[in-house]
Amino acid sequence: MPTTPLADLGPIAQLRAGRLPRRLVQLYVGLWLYGVSLALMVLGAIGLAPWDVLHSGVTKHVPITLGQAVIVFSFVVLLLWIPLREKPGLGTVSNALVVGIAADTTLAMFDAPDALLARIPLMVGGIVLCGFATALYIGAQLGRGPRDGLMTGLARRTGLSIRLVRTGIEVTVVLIGLALGGTLGIGTIAYALTIGPIAQWMMPWFLVDLAPRAGVAPDRSLICPAEPA
């Protein structure tokens, strides 16, 4: 668990909280790398992250790319923030756009290998990079991604644990994705089991301390982040 707490700030307070240049660079590098990590798992073709099972299923029925599906569903999820009263930020809107663009850009640059020995490192690298990118973007404290905000918002409103809410959301999107023909594999299971611990382990390296400067109570609800996309 990070020793520096996550500050619970509104969008304007996030921008005024200090150390903004460093935080902006960290935010956008993290979001871009997150999109790259999704593309690596697609290229590995051994299973996608839970939300991408849904995204890949949608692309089989609607003429859009995976990255475009990420963007569309990001804004759909943001609509669910309204009754949950989650606080968006620059990072929230940026997340909805940058991750999908980065994923499509990476996929356009590389072809998927045929050999399993080449695909396994892509899957593992994608998961580790996703954990690293999650720690970067959340650590910048400029707003959570649409899906993480849905998770924490539901946890607050229902009183259920983050772990239980996260599991429920991911099982739901995987089932819908499978019904639409999405891609499920060992990579999906590996991602679900390891992404939280990896991100939590790396979070102290990048979490910018804003609570003392902002004069607000910390938000400890996001102990084990699931997905920034």
Side-chain angles (χ1 to χ4, degrees), residues 207-225:
L207 190 56
V208 182
D209 189 2
L210 299 180
R213 183 176 295 123
V216 297
D219 179 1
R220 298 185 180 277
S221 61
L222 192 56
I223 294 174
C224 188

PDB file of all heavy atoms in Angstrom, residues 207-225:
ATOM      1  N   LEU A 207       3.774   7.912  -6.912  1.00  0.00           N
ATOM      2  CA  LEU A 207       2.666   8.641  -6.319  1.00  0.00           C
ATOM      3  C   LEU A 207       3.141   9.993  -5.781  1.00  0.00           C
ATOM      4  O   LEU A 207       3.920  10.064  -4.840  1.00  0.00           O
ATOM      5  CB  LEU A 207       2.034   7.817  -5.196  1.00  0.00           C
ATOM      6  CG  LEU A 207       0.726   8.332  -4.618  1.00  0.00           C
ATOM      7  CD1 LEU A 207      -0.324   8.508  -5.703  1.00  0.00           C
ATOM      8  CD2 LEU A 207       0.222   7.387  -3.538  1.00  0.00           C
ATOM      9  N   VAL A 208       2.665  11.066  -6.397  1.00  0.00           N
ATOM     10  CA  VAL A 208       3.051  12.429  -6.014  1.00  0.00           C
ATOM     11  C   VAL A 208       2.272  12.835  -4.772  1.00  0.00           C
ATOM     12  O   VAL A 208       1.047  12.742  -4.744  1.00  0.00           O
ATOM     13  CB  VAL A 208       2.775  13.417  -7.165  1.00  0.00           C
ATOM     14  CG1 VAL A 208       3.231  14.820  -6.762  1.00  0.00           C
ATOM     15  CG2 VAL A 208       3.475  12.963  -8.437  1.00  0.00           C
ATOM     16  N   ASP A 209       2.973  13.298  -3.761  1.00  0.00           N
ATOM     17  CA  ASP A 209       2.340  13.660  -2.492  1.00  0.00           C
ATOM     18  C   ASP A 209       1.701  15.044  -2.607  1.00  0.00           C
ATOM     19  O   ASP A 209       2.389  16.051  -2.700  1.00  0.00           O
ATOM     20  CB  ASP A 209       3.389  13.649  -1.381  1.00  0.00           C
ATOM     21  CG  ASP A 209       2.757  13.798  -0.005  1.00  0.00           C
ATOM     22  OD1 ASP A 209       1.517  13.877   0.069  1.00  0.00           O
ATOM     23  OD2 ASP A 209       3.508  13.835   0.979  1.00  0.00           O
ATOM     24  N   LEU A 210       0.361  15.083  -2.609  1.00  0.00           N
ATOM     25  CA  LEU A 210      -0.354  16.344  -2.734  1.00  0.00           C
ATOM     26  C   LEU A 210      -1.195  16.677  -1.512  1.00  0.00           C
ATOM     27  O   LEU A 210      -1.570  17.828  -1.324  1.00  0.00           O
ATOM     28  CB  LEU A 210      -1.303  16.293  -3.950  1.00  0.00           C
ATOM     29  CG  LEU A 210      -0.674  16.072  -5.310  1.00  0.00           C
ATOM     30  CD1 LEU A 210      -1.762  16.047  -6.361  1.00  0.00           C
ATOM     31  CD2 LEU A 210       0.355  17.127  -5.621  1.00  0.00           C
ATOM     32  N   ALA A 211      -1.512  15.696  -0.687  1.00  0.00           N
ATOM     33  CA  ALA A 211      -2.452  15.929   0.410  1.00  0.00           C
ATOM     34  C   ALA A 211      -2.028  17.050   1.356  1.00  0.00           C
ATOM     35  O   ALA A 211      -2.834  17.910   1.689  1.00  0.00           O
ATOM     36  CB  ALA A 211      -2.681  14.631   1.188  1.00  0.00           C
ATOM     37  N   PRO A 212      -0.752  17.100   1.805  1.00  0.00           N
ATOM     38  CA  PRO A 212      -0.378  18.199   2.704  1.00  0.00           C
ATOM     39  C   PRO A 212      -0.511  19.560   2.040  1.00  0.00           C
ATOM     40  O   PRO A 212      -0.947  20.536   2.639  1.00  0.00           O
ATOM     41  CB  PRO A 212       1.086  17.876   3.044  1.00  0.00           C
ATOM     42  CG  PRO A 212       1.217  16.407   2.816  1.00  0.00           C
ATOM     43  CD  PRO A 212       0.320  16.125   1.647  1.00  0.00           C
ATOM     44  N   ARG A 213      -0.135  19.641   0.770  1.00  0.00           N
ATOM     45  CA  ARG A 213      -0.195  20.919   0.066  1.00  0.00           C
ATOM     46  C   ARG A 213      -1.630  21.329  -0.217  1.00  0.00           C
ATOM     47  O   ARG A 213      -2.001  22.493  -0.165  1.00  0.00           O
ATOM     48  CB  ARG A 213       0.595  20.804  -1.248  1.00  0.00           C
ATOM     49  CG  ARG A 213       0.671  22.091  -2.034  1.00  0.00           C
ATOM     50  CD  ARG A 213       1.538  21.922  -3.272  1.00  0.00           C
ATOM     51  NE  ARG A 213       2.917  21.653  -2.892  1.00  0.00           N
ATOM     52  CZ  ARG A 213       3.596  20.582  -3.270  1.00  0.00           C
ATOM     53  NH1 ARG A 213       3.023  19.695  -4.028  1.00  0.00           N
ATOM     54  NH2 ARG A 213       4.840  20.386  -2.903  1.00  0.00           N
ATOM     55  N   ALA A 214      -2.465  20.361  -0.563  1.00  0.00           N
ATOM     56  CA  ALA A 214      -3.848  20.668  -0.918  1.00  0.00           C
ATOM     57  C   ALA A 214      -4.731  20.849   0.309  1.00  0.00           C
ATOM     58  O   ALA A 214      -5.798  21.437   0.226  1.00  0.00           O
ATOM     59  CB  ALA A 214      -4.424  19.555  -1.797  1.00  0.00           C
ATOM     60  N   GLY A 215      -4.289  20.343   1.455  1.00  0.00           N
ATOM     61  CA  GLY A 215      -5.066  20.494   2.677  1.00  0.00           C
ATOM     62  C   GLY A 215      -6.359  19.717   2.670  1.00  0.00           C
ATOM     63  O   GLY A 215      -7.386  20.181   3.156  1.00  0.00           O
ATOM     64  N   VAL A 216      -6.327  18.501   2.091  1.00  0.00           N
ATOM     65  CA  VAL A 216      -7.537  17.685   2.025  1.00  0.00           C
ATOM     66  C   VAL A 216      -7.257  16.314   2.617  1.00  0.00           C
ATOM     67  O   VAL A 216      -6.123  15.892   2.755  1.00  0.00           O
ATOM     68  CB  VAL A 216      -8.024  17.523   0.571  1.00  0.00           C
ATOM     69  CG1 VAL A 216      -8.410  18.855  -0.006  1.00  0.00           C
ATOM     70  CG2 VAL A 216      -6.959  16.854  -0.276  1.00  0.00           C
ATOM     71  N   ALA A 217      -8.337  15.635   2.936  1.00  0.00           N
ATOM     72  CA  ALA A 217      -8.211  14.278   3.447  1.00  0.00           C
ATOM     73  C   ALA A 217      -7.844  13.340   2.305  1.00  0.00           C
ATOM     74  O   ALA A 217      -8.301  13.515   1.179  1.00  0.00           O
ATOM     75  CB  ALA A 217      -9.527  13.838   4.088  1.00  0.00           C
ATOM     76  N   PRO A 218      -7.022  12.338   2.567  1.00  0.00           N
ATOM     77  CA  PRO A 218      -6.665  11.386   1.523  1.00  0.00           C
ATOM     78  C   PRO A 218      -7.822  10.475   1.172  1.00  0.00           C
ATOM     79  O   PRO A 218      -8.726  10.254   1.973  1.00  0.00           O
ATOM     80  CB  PRO A 218      -5.517  10.592   2.157  1.00  0.00           C
ATOM     81  CG  PRO A 218      -5.790  10.640   3.618  1.00  0.00           C
ATOM     82  CD  PRO A 218      -6.380  12.016   3.851  1.00  0.00           C
ATOM     83  N   ASP A 219      -7.779   9.948  -0.030  1.00  0.00           N
ATOM     84  CA  ASP A 219      -8.768   8.970  -0.479  1.00  0.00           C
ATOM     85  C   ASP A 219      -8.065   7.633  -0.564  1.00  0.00           C
ATOM     86  O   ASP A 219      -7.260   7.417  -1.454  1.00  0.00           O
ATOM     87  CB  ASP A 219      -9.327   9.386  -1.840  1.00  0.00           C
ATOM     88  CG  ASP A 219     -10.338   8.387  -2.367  1.00  0.00           C
ATOM     89  OD1 ASP A 219     -10.605   7.404  -1.665  1.00  0.00           O
ATOM     90  OD2 ASP A 219     -10.848   8.607  -3.475  1.00  0.00           O
ATOM     91  N   ARG A 220      -8.363   6.742   0.365  1.00  0.00           N
ATOM     92  CA  ARG A 220      -7.688   5.458   0.398  1.00  0.00           C
ATOM     93  C   ARG A 220      -8.531   4.355  -0.250  1.00  0.00           C
ATOM     94  O   ARG A 220      -8.264   3.174  -0.064  1.00  0.00           O
ATOM     95  CB  ARG A 220      -7.352   5.074   1.844  1.00  0.00           C
ATOM     96  CG  ARG A 220      -6.401   6.060   2.506  1.00  0.00           C
ATOM     97  CD  ARG A 220      -5.991   5.584   3.895  1.00  0.00           C
ATOM     98  NE  ARG A 220      -5.093   6.535   4.523  1.00  0.00           N
ATOM     99  CZ  ARG A 220      -3.783   6.602   4.334  1.00  0.00           C
ATOM    100  NH1 ARG A 220      -3.222   5.765   3.492  1.00  0.00           N
ATOM    101  NH2 ARG A 220      -3.032   7.502   4.948  1.00  0.00           N
ATOM    102  N   SER A 221      -9.552   4.744  -0.992  1.00  0.00           N
ATOM    103  CA  SER A 221     -10.449   3.734  -1.566  1.00  0.00           C
ATOM    104  C   SER A 221      -9.794   2.949  -2.680  1.00  0.00           C
ATOM    105  O   SER A 221     -10.092   1.791  -2.896  1.00  0.00           O
ATOM    106  CB  SER A 221     -11.721   4.394  -2.091  1.00  0.00           C
ATOM    107  OG  SER A 221     -11.413   5.317  -3.110  1.00  0.00           O
ATOM    108  N   LEU A 222      -8.881   3.578  -3.431  1.00  0.00           N
ATOM    109  CA  LEU A 222      -8.265   2.902  -4.567  1.00  0.00           C
ATOM    110  C   LEU A 222      -6.963   2.258  -4.104  1.00  0.00           C
ATOM    111  O   LEU A 222      -5.876   2.729  -4.384  1.00  0.00           O
ATOM    112  CB  LEU A 222      -7.992   3.878  -5.698  1.00  0.00           C
ATOM    113  CG  LEU A 222      -7.618   3.264  -7.049  1.00  0.00           C
ATOM    114  CD1 LEU A 222      -8.679   2.289  -7.502  1.00  0.00           C
ATOM    115  CD2 LEU A 222      -7.363   4.315  -8.079  1.00  0.00           C
ATOM    116  N   ILE A 223      -7.091   1.181  -3.354  1.00  0.00           N
ATOM    117  CA  ILE A 223      -5.920   0.518  -2.786  1.00  0.00           C
ATOM    118  C   ILE A 223      -5.251  -0.369  -3.834  1.00  0.00           C
ATOM    119  O   ILE A 223      -4.043  -0.445  -3.920  1.00  0.00           O
ATOM    120  CB  ILE A 223      -6.329  -0.335  -1.566  1.00  0.00           C
ATOM    121  CG1 ILE A 223      -6.819   0.595  -0.456  1.00  0.00           C
ATOM    122  CG2 ILE A 223      -5.169  -1.182  -1.076  1.00  0.00           C
ATOM    123  CD1 ILE A 223      -7.375  -0.139   0.733  1.00  0.00           C
ATOM    124  N   CYS A 224      -6.051  -1.011  -4.642  1.00  0.00           N
ATOM    125  CA  CYS A 224      -5.507  -1.937  -5.630  1.00  0.00           C
ATOM    126  C   CYS A 224      -6.129  -1.642  -6.979  1.00  0.00           C
ATOM    127  O   CYS A 224      -7.146  -2.201  -7.355  1.00  0.00           O
ATOM    128  CB  CYS A 224      -5.825  -3.375  -5.213  1.00  0.00           C
ATOM    129  SG  CYS A 224      -5.016  -4.622  -6.206  1.00  0.00           S
ATOM    130  N   PRO A 225      -5.555  -0.692  -7.760  1.00  0.00           N
ATOM    131  CA  PRO A 225      -6.180  -0.266  -9.000  1.00  0.00           C
ATOM    132  C   PRO A 225      -6.298  -1.390  -9.997  1.00  0.00           C
ATOM    133  O   PRO A 225      -5.429  -2.233 -10.100  1.00  0.00           O
ATOM    134  CB  PRO A 225      -5.228   0.830  -9.502  1.00  0.00           C
ATOM    135  CG  PRO A 225      -3.949   0.618  -8.793  1.00  0.00           C
ATOM    136  CD  PRO A 225      -4.279  -0.043  -7.489  1.00  0.00           C
TER     137      PRO A 225
END
